[in-house]
Amino acid sequence: CPTNACVLLFGKDPQYNALTRTTSAVTMAGGSPQANVMPERAWAVINCRILPGETIDDVISHYRSFLPEEIEIKVLKGHNPPEIQSIDTKAYETILKVLNDMYPGAVLLPQMMAAGTDSRYYCKVCPSKSVYRFTGVLNDGKNGGTHSVDEHIAVDILSKNVEFYVNLIKAY
């Protein structure tokens, strides 16, 4: 979502926080092999989800702004987010039509998808800027902890997602 309105709407809700700004999560950390020994070296792996319009260099600059200069920052793997795609396309209109047919009255609000997809490779070859990272998965509290223990999607939600893609392919 390219406006500050999204931050106001979603930014305070932890569930939507990652859709409105670049986020960082420490996913691994290490130091001493013993509880009573000071480590000679400590390390942390920080997973960053970068908001479109920002870059890996922006994230590094952010960390450099408060970490001591002797702390080494190394990018283990990653890529800059693809540029924001246009909503003035036939493809976007097709998504809207399918959603309106399935969920009358629902509002489609462009926002960042907080998941990685192969679509980043297509953005470079799609001249119409209509590569959308979209999922029809409903968020009704039944989805079980993305990227956590016992990650799952309820069967009724999964079948609705399959229905969305079948309808989308037929409409296109």
Side-chain angles (χ1 to χ4, degrees), residues 47-49 79 82 112-121 133 146-147:
N47 181 292
C48 299
R49 300 290 170 106
H79 55 274
M112 180 170 75
M113 183 177 197
T117 73
D118 289 338
S119 66
R120 65 182 173 267
Y121 303 114
R133 292 153 295 279
T146 305
H147 299 309

Side-chain angles (χ1 to χ4, degrees), residues 75-123:
V75 176
L76 299 179
K77 68 177 186 173
H79 55 274
N80 288 317
E83 62 183 280
I84 297 169
Q85 302 295 290
S86 174
I87 61 172
D88 297 321
T89 66
K90 181 180 188 287
Y92 192 81
E93 289 174 15
T94 303
I95 293 171
L96 277 175
K97 181 189 177 323
V98 171
L99 285 173
N100 285 330
D101 289 347
M102 288 182 68
Y103 308 105
V107 176
L108 182 63
L109 179 66
Q111 64 187 24
M112 180 170 75
M113 183 177 197
T117 73
D118 289 338
S119 66
R120 65 182 173 267
Y121 303 114
Y122 308 137
C123 292

Side-chain angles (χ1 to χ4, degrees), residues 2-75:
T3 67
N4 287 335
C6 288
V7 174
L8 293 173
L9 288 170
F10 300 127
K12 295 179 182 176
D13 184 335
Q15 185 174 357
Y16 296 109
N17 186 44
L19 304 178
T20 61
R21 61 181 51 87
T22 294
T23 59
S24 300
V26 177
T27 56
M28 298 172 70
S32 175
Q34 298 294 322
N36 64 340
V37 176
M38 294 295 291
E40 292 180 28
R41 287 181 56 97
W43 58 269
V45 174
I46 302 172
N47 181 292
C48 299
R49 300 290 170 106
I50 303 174
L51 186 70
E54 297 179 4
T55 66
I56 292 172
D57 288 340
D58 293 332
V59 173
I60 291 170
S61 292
H62 170 71
Y63 281 106
R64 277 277 152 247
S65 74
F66 63 87
L67 288 174
E69 63 183 59
E70 64 270 13
I71 301 291
E72 178 186 0
I73 297 174
K74 187 184 331 180
V75 176

